[in-house]
Amino acid sequence: MTTRKKYILTALGGVLFGIVLVLAAFYTSSATSTNESCAACHVHPRAETSWKQSKHYMNKSGVQTDCAECHLPPKGTASHYWEKVKFGLHDIWMYLTHDKEDFDFESKRTEEYAPNIVFNSSCKKCHTNLFPEDITDDGVAAHLYYEENEEKLGLQCVSCHLDAGHFIAGYKHEKMTTAPIDTTGPVYTEPASVTSFANFIETIPGTRASISMIAVPGGKFMMGSNKGDKFSRPDEYPAHEVTISPFFMGEMEVTWNQYWAFYVETMSEGRTKPEVIYANNSRPDVDAVSGPTPPFGMPDQGWGMGNRPAITMTHYAAETFCQWLSLKTGRHYRLPTEAEWEYAARGGTETPYFFEGKPSSYSSQGLWNSIFGTDTTTINRYAIYALNSKNRTQEPSRVAANPFGLRNMLGNVMEYCQDWYAEDAYEKGSANTVNPKGPATGTDYVVRGGCYNDDASELRCAARRHSDYEAWLKTDPQNPKSIWWLSDMKGIGFRVVCDAEN
Amino acid sequence: MKQEGMSRRHFLTGAAAVGAAAVAAPALLASCSGKDKLTPLKKEGEFYVPELPDKAIEGKELKVGLIGCGGRGSGAIINLLDAADGIKVVALGDVFEDRLNDVRNRLINERQQEVPQENCFVGFDAYKKVIDSGVDMVILTTPPVFRPEMFKYATEKGVHSFLEKPIAVDAKGYRSVMATAKQAQAKGLSVVVGTQRHHERRYVEANKQIQAGMIGEITGGNVYWNQGMLWYRQREAGWTDMEWNIRDWVNWKWLSGDHIIEQHVHNIDVFLWMSGLKPVSATGFGSRQRRVTGDQYDFFSTDFTMENGIHMHSMCRQIDGCSSKVSEFIQGSKGSWNSETNEIKDLEGNVIWKYDEEKAKQEFQQHDPYTLEHVDWVNHIRKGTAHEEATDNAISCMAGIMGREAAYTGQTVTWDEMTQSQQDFLPEKLELGPLDLASMTVPVPGQ
């Protein structure tokens, strides 16, 4: 055989081998993209039953959309194969190392998590026409908004169609017709009589709602963090001494029962112009405030009402609640200042949390903890956070109070303060150390305490956050956007404080 | 749009161009040497250039229905018959029998086409009956407030539409048209809008120059429709409120959208068309001085901020005894174009391009844009190439709506707010009966 012939044969062999390899790869890829293949590891039956109830299975056309058509980028793209390998390895690892009973299916079907496992490019590959023939006017409005803001606001199909692939009972079909108000117990006729500086139960006249108020003694404390404190951020510096006068503070975050009492009495007609509301509520002689418009869908996210913290209200709504409560009771209720909030949260302690333990041992951040797990024994008693919340708020009875007797100061939901947020508020304001009120103006408000899906490091008493209305209302297609309800932030609520001058 | 193969004619022109280039090359090189090369705003093929032959291509017979037998409707149906052979008018619809009969008789006398009596429909639901009568295509020329519903119905039934402008007068109508336009596109329908400048040779040619970069980047514009008073109808005995309103429709904002949309949308549309920009906000004013009937304004003056931050100013007036001006002016970084003179000037004021009317006259017989838009409409239908102009026109109408609301309220009105507004002018009950005329008052800004 000549060298030339050998060369040709080798080349031919190479080509043949290449073809076989490609065919094998193609076959493997197809075979591992079937529903059966997915179900081999994804053994949780709820995924399948909810899929079969969803529009992607149960529809007029009888066409079914399979797992890989949504949970991988479109076929034929490079990212399809890349994600396939990535997910495949991850899924096999999880299958081998985790117990399926521990799998929290509910927490995966949230607006926050779903975009990690549903590819927008895949949605759009099939749904090329966002304006099908039977679309409603609301649908057209929403899709025009989507097309114009998709990139700017990072909108995804699942931001609004979370139930498209897996059915969620009450996700969208349910609309709140009447406020789910508590009708047990007596209707109060008088506000509480408060004669001394002690805990009391505020009874809201004309409603069945009451609020447990804790007398928080005045005192001095160190506000903020020192550089070098684990997980501290620059906006917490410098730690500085602050003096706080006595005040009353709600034992718990304002509950749905309390919030609906407010809503029923103050509800504004849908689409009332914000200016009309602002004008009415800021009149000095106002005797009846204008409150929230009806919410879109169920604002409790289907998690339950009752004593769970009311959520998804705007800062203005929270302030209006206080205004209403003040009018009803004749006492001055308001949101806490940031300093009051931190003072109350610390409850006289000087540690990162009001309970024992270090952020570094509770946090899931860092290689060590992510591999070997975190210590949860103490924090579990006091706070609802990422590791024990099942990705939703929980009843306040689940946690123990802090030394002042306040529950859920850390975790469950973030709480609005009355202060404007500024990163350098402590640096600039540290001279004013008696009942500080924060910067004179700003664009976002301080929110504190972390929420149910936060890491333990966000629950430190000193950790500061702020509202972000653009992001928190990004899927609200109305213009002007709602001044009452947030469309894209669920872990926010508030608690009230009451002045104690007399 | 479907890519079409090179026709013989294209080929010949191409060959001629090569020959001409060979001859002109040295001169061209010399003249180009010192100058910047033009940077196109859009490359050829990236923007729509209608083919505008004198007459539509031959093809299968097309059945057309006319809905809205007023002045524009009777004009449009004749334009269509001029534009193409093999068109049969098979159905007519209107709310008023007298207007319908006018058109029917005109078609008999002038075009020897008799629409069968059983296909003449009178009433608010006449549009459905016309569309359901087996037509291929429909001309929609009722007062504009009705356009979105009719366009939607025609598209559902797979019927090609000619939409007289404007095609939306309120936010809800805008959204409806935007959705229907997508559906028409999906169905491969041909939808042409009566903003006939898109089919007027001098505008089409100017647009080619502008897209080729002759005036540089567009930096702003002014558009005008200033004219004398428009027609009106006084109420006659025996007319219901609804009948009076519809017969006098150009004076009632719920029907016409006011003249900043009804008429001036032509000019606003030219700027949006050539710049490819949408407005983000509008601030403006207007007032009523002379109108006799209705609840509309006599003039508007509006400053639009476009999405890239440049401004376009629009003015429109319908008052007798004042100067008239109906035109568009676009300023660019290297020059400007004016539709009044059909010229492009550089920044020193030298004319660097002018529409060659003589050449066009030698090349074509048909120059009437109202006929040419129907040529284009029929050609798309007969070739089976999908084409829709409703999306772009709806956006122009929305600009007009923003301008109107800015003047009516005295507030700055934004795109985001207006496109999501619940504004809906169509009455719930459509019948020749009473209307709440007392609520139809002339808007007062600042209140």
Side-chain angles (χ1 to χ4, degrees):
Chain A
M1 215 187 271
T2 62
T3 336
R4 193 183 153 86
K5 268 188 180 168
K6 268 187 193 165
Y7 174 75
I8 290 174
L9 273 178
T10 320
L12 269 178
V15 168
L16 213 66
F17 179 71
I19 291 173
V20 169
L21 204 69
V22 167
L23 282 176
F26 180 76
Y27 176 77
T28 314
S29 170
S30 305
T32 54
S33 287
T34 61
N35 289 350
E36 292 71 29
S37 157
C38 298
C41 297
H42 292 271
V43 285
H44 32 89
R46 295 206 46 197
E48 193 186 339
T49 50
S50 61
W51 167 61
K52 287 193 167 167
Q53 291 175 66
S54 80
K55 281 269 174 260
H56 276 121
Y57 185 95
M58 190 76 79
N59 54 46
K60 277 185 249 171
S61 68
V63 173
Q64 78 174 47
T65 309
D66 295 331
C67 310
E69 289 178 79
C70 303
H71 293 298
L72 282 178
K75 265 187 198 151
T77 60
S79 58
H80 174 82
Y81 298 101
W82 170 244
E83 294 292 344
K84 191 171 164 59
V85 170
K86 240 173 58 183
F87 271 114
L89 292 176
H90 172 263
D91 291 354
I92 291 170
W93 170 255
M94 293 298 282
Y95 181 69
L96 295 175
T97 58
H98 286 69
D99 187 350
K100 70 170 179 164
E101 300 305 323
D102 291 346
F103 183 77
D104 184 8
F105 186 63
E106 293 306 321
S107 72
K108 307 296 176 195
R109 43 198 318 191
T110 56
E111 286 96 347
E112 296 82 19
Y113 189 83
N116 299 325
I117 49 170
V118 178
F119 291 84
N120 218 45
S121 51
S122 293
C123 303
K124 290 192 333 194
K125 190 184 173 233
C126 292
H127 296 273
T128 48
N129 180 7
L130 298 189
F131 302 90
E133 234 166 42
D134 54 354
I135 193 168
T136 61
D137 178 52
D138 282 344
V140 178
H143 283 177
L144 288 173
Y145 177 83
Y146 172 79
E147 286 193 333
E148 285 173 20
N149 295 288
E150 179 185 358
E151 278 173 36
K152 201 168 84 193
L153 299 175
L155 298 180
Q156 306 255 332
C157 298
V158 289
S159 306
C160 298
H161 301 281
L162 193 58
D163 62 342
H166 296 272
F167 179 72
I168 303 172
Y171 172 65
K172 165 166 58 181
H173 317 286
E174 232 175 309
K175 197 167 166 125
M176 218 182 71
T177 43
T178 52
I181 196 163
D182 186 8
T183 52
T184 55
V187 174
Y188 299 110
T189 51
E190 294 290 324
S193 139
V194 180
T195 49
S196 64
F197 186 68
N199 298 354
F200 72 99
I201 307 271
E202 181 62 278
T203 50
I204 310 169
T207 78
R208 291 184 169 86
S210 61
I211 304 181
S212 166
M213 298 297 294
I214 302 291
V216 178
K220 283 186 193 298
F221 80 113
M222 287 303 286
M223 186 172 181
S225 298
N226 291 309
K227 273 185 198 169
D229 288 353
K230 188 77 178 159
F231 295 117
S232 67
R233 286 183 290 244
D235 65 350
E236 300 165 26
Y237 312 145
H240 54 291
E241 193 182 70
V242 168
T243 306
I244 297 287
S245 307
F247 62 98
F248 297 100
M249 187 177 227
E251 180 197 351
M252 301 182 290
E253 289 148 348
V254 167
T255 66
W256 278 122
N257 276 344
Q258 294 154 4
Y259 201 73
W260 291 129
F262 155 66
Y263 171 82
V264 182
E265 288 207 347
T266 63
M267 189 195 85
S268 306
E269 295 270 320
R271 307 196 186 272
T272 307
K273 286 198 166 177
E275 306 88 74
V276 176
I277 307 267
Y278 294 143
N280 175 57
N281 288 355
S282 59
R283 275 170 44 194
D285 62 336
V286 64
D287 54 2
V289 297
S290 302
T293 49
F296 183 77
M298 301 297 273
D300 72 332
Q301 316 298 318
W303 299 343
M305 307 270 190
N307 283 331
R308 262 177 224 262
I311 49 174
T312 72
M313 76 291 287
T314 60
H315 189 270
Y316 183 73
E319 279 189 329
T320 308
F321 178 93
C322 297
Q323 191 186 4
W324 168 78
L325 188 57
S326 304
L327 279 171
K328 297 290 282 185
T329 59
R331 266 183 282 277
H332 184 220
Y333 283 93
R334 56 179 172 79
L335 295 175
T337 66
E338 184 174 18
E340 284 169 341
W341 190 93
E342 187 169 327
Y343 175 72
R346 289 179 179 278
T349 65
E350 289 171 1
T351 45
Y353 306 107
F354 61 75
F355 44 84
E356 275 180 21
K358 286 190 291 191
S360 53
S361 47
Y362 292 141
S363 170
S364 304
Q365 291 182 28
L367 190 62
W368 182 269
N369 285 4
S370 63
I371 294 175
F372 297 102
T374 56
D375 173 16
T376 56
T377 38
T378 313
I379 191 171
N380 243 341
R381 281 190 62 213
Y382 294 101
I384 302 299
Y385 72 119
L387 295 186
N388 65 4
S389 68
K390 292 205 176 292
N391 216 27
R392 56 184 56 190
T393 61
Q394 297 295 337
E395 297 263 353
S397 56
R398 273 275 306 273
V399 296
N402 81 352
F404 281 159
L406 302 161
R407 285 174 209 259
N408 275 331
M409 287 302 288
L410 307 181
N412 216 17
V413 294
M414 300 188 288
E415 299 173 15
Y416 284 120
C417 294
Q418 71 174 28
D419 301 31
W420 290 109
Y421 174 82
E423 196 180 351
D424 57 1
Y426 293 1
E427 230 167 88
K428 288 195 171 153
S430 50
N432 179 19
T433 57
V434 181
N435 296 321
K437 287 188 164 52
T441 57
T443 49
D444 284 305
Y445 291 100
V446 172
V447 300
R448 288 297 213 115
C451 72
Y452 63 85
N453 62 6
D454 278 328
D455 180 64
S457 60
E458 294 292 350
L459 267 62
R460 293 172 302 109
C461 293
R464 306 180 68 213
R465 306 266 279 278
H466 60 80
S467 59
D468 181 354
Y469 282 136
E470 178 143 311
W472 290 7
L473 278 156
K474 72 175 179 182
T475 60
D476 182 350
Q478 307 170 81
N479 198 299
K481 289 174 185 287
S482 178
I483 62 167
W484 300 110
W485 298 103
L486 303 171
S487 51
D488 300 274
M489 168 46 76
K490 291 177 287 202
I492 185 75
F494 65 104
R495 77 176 73 215
V496 297
V497 301
C498 179
D499 287 341
E501 277 110 317
N502 311 317
Chain B
M1 216 182 359
K2 199 168 112 183
Q3 192 73 35
E4 285 158 41
M6 201 181 204
S7 67
R8 203 170 70 91
R9 183 162 163 179
H10 272 125
F11 177 74
L12 287 177
T13 350
V18 172
V23 175
L28 215 67
L29 282 175
S31 71
C32 277
S33 54
K35 289 207 168 183
D36 298 340
K37 233 182 122 202
L38 297 183
T39 315
L41 304 184
K42 281 184 186 157
K43 294 199 187 93
E44 267 179 56
E46 287 177 2
F47 61 99
Y48 180 66
V49 179
E51 280 183 44
L52 298 173
D54 288 334
K55 194 132 189 173
I57 54 169
E58 304 284 319
K60 72 156 192 164
E61 186 186 79
L62 292 169
K63 285 176 272 184
V64 65
L66 170 67
I67 300 161
C69 297
R72 185 72 265 273
S74 60
I77 195 74
I78 297 294
N79 294 145
L80 172 64
L81 296 173
D82 286 343
D85 292 329
I87 303 283
K88 197 171 176 198
V89 190
V90 297
L92 300 174
D94 201 288
V95 278
F96 301 124
E97 202 170 355
D98 56 321
R99 302 312 306 264
L100 189 146
N101 285 334
D102 287 349
V103 173
R104 187 164 183 271
N105 292 333
R106 198 174 161 194
L107 285 169
I108 294 170
N109 296 334
E110 294 179 18
R111 301 291 160 138
Q112 292 74 51
Q113 290 220 25
E114 184 168 353
V115 179
Q117 199 63 58
E118 67 270 20
N119 273 2
C120 293
F121 304 103
V122 173
F124 284 102
D125 60 350
Y127 76 96
K128 288 191 174 171
K129 294 174 180 164
V130 170
I131 290 166
D132 289 337
S133 71
V135 295
D136 302 301
M137 54 205 295
V138 69
I139 292 177
L140 303 178
T141 43
T142 63
V145 72
F146 305 116
R147 199 89 70 249
E149 260 320 293
M150 296 181 181
F151 175 37
K152 186 177 172 191
Y153 192 72
T155 302
E156 265 173 37
K157 301 285 172 164
V159 170
H160 306 279
S161 302
F162 173 84
L163 310 172
E164 183 48 43
K165 53 46 52 183
I167 62 176
V169 297
D170 53 29
K172 203 163 176 189
Y174 162 78
R175 291 193 293 268
S176 170
V177 169
M178 289 297 278
T180 307
K182 294 269 164 65
Q183 290 150 17
Q185 222 168 33
K187 289 187 168 182
L189 297 176
S190 171
V191 179
V192 166
V193 179
T195 31
Q196 79 286 346
R197 285 163 174 74
H198 289 257
H199 296 92
E200 190 166 355
R201 299 190 190 283
R202 60 192 182 101
Y203 280 89
V204 172
E205 290 306 314
N207 187 42
K208 283 188 199 164
Q209 302 306 321
I210 289 172
Q211 300 310 326
M214 195 171 261
I215 66 169
E217 290 289 326
I218 291 172
T219 58
N222 300 66
V223 298
Y224 313 84
W225 192 304
N226 296 337
Q227 68 156 58
M229 185 173 147
L230 210 62
W231 59 270
Y232 65 93
R233 296 287 301 269
Q234 290 287 17
R235 188 170 190 153
E236 288 180 17
W239 283 0
T240 60
D241 295 343
M242 183 65 100
E243 177 160 5
W244 178 38
N245 267 217
I246 294 184
R247 288 193 188 272
D248 186 39
W249 69 273
V250 294
N251 295 292
W252 298 90
K253 58 181 181 252
W254 75 270
L255 279 153
S256 86
D258 213 326
H259 65 98
I260 185 173
I261 301 169
E262 196 277 312
Q263 190 172 59
H264 186 42
V265 70
H266 277 300
N267 320 99
I268 294 173
D269 175 63
V270 166
F271 185 81
L272 267 56
W273 166 30
M274 296 191 184
S275 70
L277 296 169
K278 283 189 300 200
V280 290
S281 69
T283 306
F285 45 78
S287 170
R288 179 187 173 101
Q289 303 286 326
R290 305 283 174 78
R291 259 186 154 69
V292 181
T293 60
D295 55 0
Q296 294 186 178
Y297 278 8
D298 290 326
F299 64 84
F300 292 87
S301 171
T302 317
D303 168 44
F304 289 95
T305 305
M306 310 306 288
E307 51 193 331
N308 65 351
I310 69 167
H311 285 250
M312 188 258 293
H313 188 267
S314 107
M315 64 166 81
C316 55
R317 176 173 62 200
Q318 295 180 341
I319 297 180
D320 282 345
C322 305
S323 67
S324 292
K325 186 182 179 85
V326 179
S327 67
E328 303 85 16
F329 172 85
I330 297 182
Q331 181 67 55
S333 56
K334 291 180 180 168
S336 59
W337 165 72
N338 195 333
S339 71
E340 242 174 349
T341 56
N342 303 310
E343 286 171 352
I344 288 178
K345 290 181 175 173
D346 66 13
L347 294 176
E348 283 81 44
N350 307 307
V351 177
I352 53 173
W353 178 83
K354 185 171 171 66
Y355 174 63
D356 194 340
E357 208 176 334
E358 287 310 310
K359 183 168 162 263
K361 275 185 181 160
Q362 283 168 16
E363 207 176 333
F364 299 105
Q365 310 299 313
Q366 183 58 267
H367 295 276
D368 174 27
Y370 300 97
T371 306
L372 288 171
E373 62 190 1
H374 287 281
V375 170
D376 199 31
W377 186 36
V378 171
N379 275 351
H380 281 291
I381 296 172
R382 286 197 168 144
K383 289 179 187 170
T385 47
H387 175 66
E388 73 89 5
E389 302 176 358
T391 302
D392 286 350
N393 196 264
I395 291 170
S396 298
C397 290
M398 178 44 68
I401 293 170
M402 286 165 64
R404 176 190 68 206
E405 293 305 313
Y408 279 2
T409 61
Q411 306 300 322
T412 293
V413 171
T414 66
W415 170 269
D416 288 345
E417 154 189 13
M418 211 56 229
T419 53
Q420 296 291 336
S421 154
Q422 287 304 298
Q423 187 175 63
D424 179 6
F425 286 172
L426 202 63
E428 267 176 41
K429 209 167 169 188
L430 288 175
E431 57 176 26
L432 291 176
L435 287 169
D436 185 10
L437 289 183
S439 72
M440 299 183 192
T441 53
V442 179
V444 181
Q447 285 186 353

